[in-house]
Amino acid sequence: MLKPVPMSFRTIPVLFAGLLLLSGCAGLDAGREMLSGLSDSIFGEDDSADPPAPLLEYAAELQIDVLWKESVGNGADKQYLKLIPAVQGDRIFAGDRKGTLQARNAATGDLIWETGGEFEFSSGPGLGRQVLVMGCTSGEVIAFDIGSGEQKWLTNVPSEVQAVPVIANGIVIVRTTDGKVIGLREADGAQLWLSESSVPALSIRGAGAPIVIDNTAIVGSANGKLQALQLNDGKSLWEATIAMPTGRSEVERLVDLDVDPVESRGAIFISSFNGGTTSVSEVDGDIIWRNPEISSYTGISADYRYLYISDTKSEVSQLDQRNGASLWKQKDLHNRQLTAAVVYDNYVVAGDFEGYVHWLSISDGRLLGRIQVASSPIEAKPVIVGGTVYIYAKDGTLAALKAR
């Protein structure tokens, strides 16, 4: 038996257009006209376009319990943002679009502290030892005391911060929409270094957060390149071309690296919007393998041997880390706008556009369980700590789930 999806596919072009970002000095009206044309060229204007898969009846193999559910203000406020909860010790931290920032008990959901300000958060929080850092739409980077929520410092950067700030070795790494990667001192927000890359005229809204390996930051860009920057001064150690723009339309030429890179056993794994998934050497950026068939803008996760990717069609795949071979693909959630597929224990977890969270088996991708935690879309990747799955929906619902 099929469960109908209460959403016309005619709305999908609008959602997709919301992911696109015009660079440069193009006027707002011109940008809207371009996005409208791009949406029509991708999806068409009739109901013959490829719709989200309806939810199928299945034999549940897991019981999903809601441990607690609370609200974090307005959530993403209908925007496509990188507001992703972060857990440290016994606390979970989350912020909303309109400047609300909360610390809650991770086990019970009880509110520990809350701040509200005039800022418009676009990304975060990034966690350090003493501070958590939020990025803003208007280009501020703001640090708050982890224990109390008191604002510690504010630094202005050239443009919107769309990637979650990353803090390592006393340095806050910030990636902005204009192609800059900036290193700030964690103690006071002073700028230490700046690295810049070119930005295409059209790109996907959003940005993958850097990862730090020893004293090196690995950062993707909207031009399809992955680079390694020395953490203390921002010096480029190597650069790898992950994807090259091809095709006749602007959309076909999108090669954004908007997923967080993943590192495992000396290899770095990254996926591009149109350019497939690639493994490169951590040492020098040399290409180890490419899988051109599986592209993503949501995310990659890894266990000891495999990668798990929700691709641009919201089909979840397991890839072999050694050679990129696809071992299974789950197609039952096709076009349901899945979050990153996050692996833990024997499960892979992803949220969708109707507020459902799906559990898949790591052995063959079959559906084991699902639960609806919100009536709004889930775009933030699930955060998993100690077997508890934390979900943050666009309407501000923050929930802790457990499978048994």
Side-chain angles (χ1 to χ4, degrees):
M1 180 180 178
L2 300 182
K3 176 179 178 179
V5 176
M7 175 180 179
S8 169
F9 195 67
R10 292 181 183 275
T11 63
I12 297 298
V14 177
L15 296 176
F16 184 84
L19 299 178
L20 296 175
L21 175 68
L22 284 168
S23 302
C25 300
L28 181 59
D29 291 339
R32 286 172 175 167
E33 181 179 353
M34 184 176 187
L35 292 178
S36 175
L38 287 170
S39 297
D40 290 345
S41 69
I42 297 170
F43 299 108
E45 297 181 338
D46 56 40
D47 290 331
S48 63
D50 193 12
L55 294 178
L56 302 174
E57 293 291 338
Y58 71 105
E61 299 178 50
L62 289 177
Q63 173 69 40
I64 313 300
D65 296 324
V66 179
L67 304 181
W68 55 262
K69 184 160 65 170
E70 301 292 345
S71 177
V72 183
N74 294 279
D77 196 28
K78 300 182 180 180
Q79 304 293 313
Y80 186 77
L81 306 172
K82 286 295 182 76
L83 295 173
I84 302 171
V87 177
Q88 185 179 88
D90 62 354
R91 296 186 178 189
I92 182 168
F93 305 89
D96 83 342
R97 166 73 168 174
K98 295 187 177 180
T100 298
L101 185 61
Q102 294 181 352
R104 292 184 175 274
N105 183 291
T108 66
D110 292 342
L111 184 65
I112 298 171
W113 55 254
E114 178 179 283
T115 64
E118 68 277 18
F119 309 110
E120 290 191 352
F121 293 147
S122 55
S123 63
L127 298 186
R129 291 184 178 180
Q130 303 296 328
V131 299
L132 61 86
V133 178
M134 302 295 294
C136 296
T137 300
S138 51
E140 297 97 351
V141 181
I142 310 170
F144 299 86
D145 183 88
I146 279 186
S148 66
E150 175 190 1
Q151 182 179 321
K152 304 300 288 185
W153 52 258
L154 181 152
T155 296
N156 288 294
V157 293
S159 64
E160 182 178 13
V161 181
Q162 287 189 345
V164 175
V166 171
I167 305 176
N169 300 339
I171 296 176
V172 181
I173 309 167
V174 175
R175 180 181 169 189
T176 60
T177 58
D178 59 354
K180 294 180 175 64
V181 182
I182 303 167
L184 307 175
R185 191 158 53 215
E186 180 183 359
D188 57 11
Q191 181 173 313
L192 301 175
W193 52 262
L194 182 148
S195 176
E196 191 169 5
S197 60
S198 62
V199 179
L202 188 70
S203 64
I204 299 296
R205 178 173 172 78
I211 60 169
V212 175
I213 305 169
D214 297 327
N215 194 43
T216 303
I218 309 297
V219 189
S221 67
N223 63 14
K225 295 183 184 297
L226 185 72
Q227 61 178 330
L229 303 177
Q230 198 160 279
L231 188 59
N232 59 350
D233 59 9
K235 178 183 177 181
S236 181
L237 301 176
W238 53 256
E239 183 178 89
T241 299
I242 302 301
M244 292 286 290
T246 59
R248 292 175 294 180
S249 75
E250 291 294 334
V251 172
E252 290 174 334
R253 296 176 62 81
L254 291 170
V255 292
D256 298 55
L257 304 182
D258 282 336
V259 308
D260 302 349
V262 171
E263 186 273 339
S264 178
R265 294 180 294 182
I268 298 166
F269 306 98
I270 188 74
S271 192
S272 166
F273 179 73
N274 273 330
T277 298
T278 303
S279 171
V280 305
S281 167
E282 174 188 322
V283 175
D284 53 17
D286 284 353
I287 303 297
I288 299 173
W289 55 255
R290 297 182 190 270
N291 183 328
E293 303 301 320
I294 299 177
S295 299
S296 177
Y297 61 88
T298 56
I300 301 174
S301 67
D303 58 18
Y304 70 100
R305 183 175 176 182
Y306 304 109
L307 303 175
Y308 302 87
I309 305 178
S310 8
D311 65 20
T312 53
K313 297 178 181 178
S314 289
E315 297 175 355
V316 180
S317 294
Q318 181 191 65
L319 304 185
D320 193 316
Q321 290 184 19
R322 298 169 299 180
N323 53 27
S326 181
L327 303 173
W328 55 252
K329 177 175 281 194
Q330 167 57 264
K331 299 182 179 181
D332 289 346
L333 303 175
H334 179 82
N335 275 349
R336 292 191 62 84
Q337 300 171 47
L338 295 186
T339 67
V342 180
V343 62
Y344 81 104
D345 295 338
N346 295 313
Y347 314 121
V348 182
V349 182
D352 76 11
F353 78 107
E354 288 187 304
Y356 284 93
V357 186
H358 306 270
W359 269 256
L360 310 178
S361 167
I362 64 168
S363 62
D364 57 11
R366 73 185 185 279
L367 184 63
L368 299 176
R370 68 172 174 242
I371 189 170
Q372 188 174 28
V373 298
S375 57
S376 72
I378 301 168
E379 289 176 355
K381 67 180 180 182
V383 175
I384 302 171
V385 179
T388 299
V389 179
Y390 297 96
I391 298 293
Y392 189 33
K394 285 179 74 73
D395 65 357
T397 298
L398 180 64
L401 311 176
K402 197 90 170 182
R404 57 183 174 90

